[in-house]
Amino acid sequence: MHEARLYQNLEDKTVRCSLCAHRCTIREGKQGVCGVRINRGGTLYAATFGKIIAEAVDPIEKKPLYHFLPGTLSYSLGTIGCNFHCEHCQNWHISQQTLEMESLRDLSPEQGVERAFASHSASIAWTYNEPAIWHEYPLAMGTLARQKGLGTVYVTNGYITEEGLREISGMLNAFRVDIKSFSDTFYRKVCGGRLQPVLDATALAKELGMHVETVTLVIPGQNDSMEEMETLIRWVLENLGPDTPMHFTRFHPDYKMLEARPTQIGKLEKIYERAKELGINYPYLGNVGGHPYENTYCPTCGSPVIKRSGYAVRIVGLKDHACTACGGHIEYVSKIQ
């Protein structure tokens, strides 16, 4: 197995992992909350290094990322494990699995980059489960990818420490983060984590120069009050800026939340419209295929510049970061530097 990074040795062969905000103290022979960082004889190992369970070539919009290389493909990888245990997880069948799974298969960082190029992808995304707990593997693959001109993407819950985020900042272009709620109680009860570390990591990702987009799954009766949504929107405005794309996504019952009802589209529309009123230039709705609020509109004149229907994308009013109707600036990443 591959030795982990970012841990400290304690007494009696115990170690403390400093990769995610749990900062697990792990006794010899045990695992962290994530289930994939294992202490053997006082050495912490990254048990899923080079091990994948999910591999696909996705539209970048599926992440969802709407302002990062729009209209391109992203070579996407996932493995098992997570440092959260969300009751509504849509990928629970892999995020909550154990290392005994027989379906894990090997893929070296070099092979991953080769497959990304062969698929004509513009980027590599670590997704489907939490990429932070896979730290050593994306770091190795992403470093190679950046050297060859590919973009790099984390689809993350944001529960990474400052140490972990700074270590990957040299290779990571995009930080697509779930802000699952603006309530610490929700995080503790539903996810098994805390809110503040997510906010801290998200603000730091922006400070470190990453492209940041937020996603909030709006769950009826759980995190959908307009008061909470407004608090979240104001935080984004103050800490990430008005050009930060915010995705408000429709909930569908899954995993341990099968009794909850889907989000009413009218509720999502009200949140979108309030985000615009407060000053977010690029709010979006998700899981509502074909809705006009999937499109990108010029914040200056309101003309559509990118039209979307599901994952089909048409650039209709955009040239060199400018709206063709009024010349207003459109903020997005068009190429990897």
Side-chain angles (χ1 to χ4, degrees), residues 12-15 25-31 38-40 42:
D12 300 323
K13 296 185 179 179
T14 298
V15 302
T25 298
I26 307 171
R27 297 180 183 233
E28 200 278 327
K30 302 296 183 180
Q31 306 166 358
I38 301 175
N39 180 355
R40 291 191 175 171

Side-chain angles (χ1 to χ4, degrees), residues 4-147:
R5 304 172 70 92
L6 299 177
Y7 74 96
Q8 298 83 42
N9 293 103
L10 306 176
E11 295 180 352
D12 300 323
K13 296 185 179 179
T14 298
V15 302
R16 178 173 294 119
C17 179
S18 54
L19 175 58
C20 96
H22 288 301
R23 296 189 182 273
C24 295
T25 298
I26 307 171
R27 297 180 183 233
E28 200 278 327
K30 302 296 183 180
Q31 306 166 358
V33 169
C34 63
V36 299
R37 301 179 77 76
I38 301 175
N39 180 355
R40 291 191 175 171
T43 299
L44 188 64
Y45 289 96
T48 52
F49 184 95
K51 306 275 185 194
I52 69 168
I53 194 172
E55 177 186 25
V57 178
D58 291 330
I60 193 68
E61 286 77 17
K62 189 176 179 180
K63 302 305 141 192
L65 279 165
Y66 282 7
H67 287 246
F68 183 79
L69 308 177
T72 66
L73 297 174
S74 186
Y75 176 66
S76 304
L77 294 173
T79 189
I80 63 169
C82 190
N83 51 1
F84 277 2
H85 303 291
C86 299
E87 294 180 3
H88 54 289
C89 181
Q90 296 179 353
N91 288 333
W92 61 269
H93 54 290
I94 62 173
S95 71
Q96 305 304 314
Q97 280 291 354
T98 64
L99 289 166
E100 287 69 38
M101 285 192 72
E102 296 180 359
S103 51
L104 283 170
R105 56 192 189 274
D106 295 331
L107 184 75
S108 72
E110 294 79 9
Q111 289 172 320
V113 174
E114 289 172 4
R115 292 190 186 187
F117 270 105
S119 69
H120 304 290
S121 294
S123 62
I124 297 178
W126 299 278
T127 179
Y128 308 130
N129 74 316
E130 175 49 47
I133 64 171
W134 217 5
H135 181 79
E136 295 78 8
Y137 183 62
L139 179 60
M141 187 184 295
T143 300
L144 294 173
R146 288 293 302 275
Q147 291 170 358

Side-chain angles (χ1 to χ4, degrees), residues 228-296:
E228 181 174 334
M229 288 294 122
E230 286 190 7
T231 306
L232 166 61
I233 292 162
R234 292 182 193 280
W235 183 89
V236 170
L237 283 165
E238 292 171 8
N239 294 273
L240 306 179
D243 287 333
T244 303
M246 294 188 72
H247 303 259
F248 301 99
T249 304
R250 193 180 190 204
F251 168 81
H252 295 283
D254 211 330
Y255 193 32
K256 297 179 180 180
M257 273 198 187
L258 295 176
E259 301 303 316
R261 65 186 186 279
T263 324
Q264 292 183 348
I265 294 176
K267 178 73 170 186
L268 292 173
E269 291 171 340
K270 289 179 181 178
I271 295 169
Y272 173 102
E273 288 157 7
R274 187 62 178 139
K276 291 280 281 189
E277 290 171 1
L278 290 172
I280 292 294
N281 288 328
Y282 305 110
Y284 295 102
L285 299 190
N287 288 346
V288 286
H291 197 287
Y293 288 174
E294 288 184 311
N295 298 333
T296 299

Side-chain angles (χ1 to χ4, degrees), residues 179-184 186-187 195 216 222-223 228 232:
I179 302 182
K180 297 175 183 289
S181 167
F182 216 76
S183 162
D184 194 63
F186 178 99
Y187 265 90
L195 170 62
T216 302
Q222 296 277 353
N223 66 349
E228 181 174 334
L232 166 61

Side-chain angles (χ1 to χ4, degrees), residues 140-194:
M141 187 184 295
T143 300
L144 294 173
R146 288 293 302 275
Q147 291 170 358
K148 295 182 178 293
L150 288 170
T152 50
V153 174
Y154 260 26
V155 177
T156 178
N157 62 27
Y159 216 60
I160 188 170
T161 61
E162 179 177 348
E163 304 97 289
L165 192 55
R166 287 189 182 277
E167 188 164 77
I168 60 170
S169 64
M171 75 83 185
L172 191 60
N173 294 120
F175 191 81
R176 209 292 286 140
V177 60
D178 290 313
I179 302 182
K180 297 175 183 289
S181 167
F182 216 76
S183 162
D184 194 63
T185 300
F186 178 99
Y187 265 90
R188 290 177 183 273
K189 178 183 176 183
V190 177
C191 307
R194 292 172 290 127

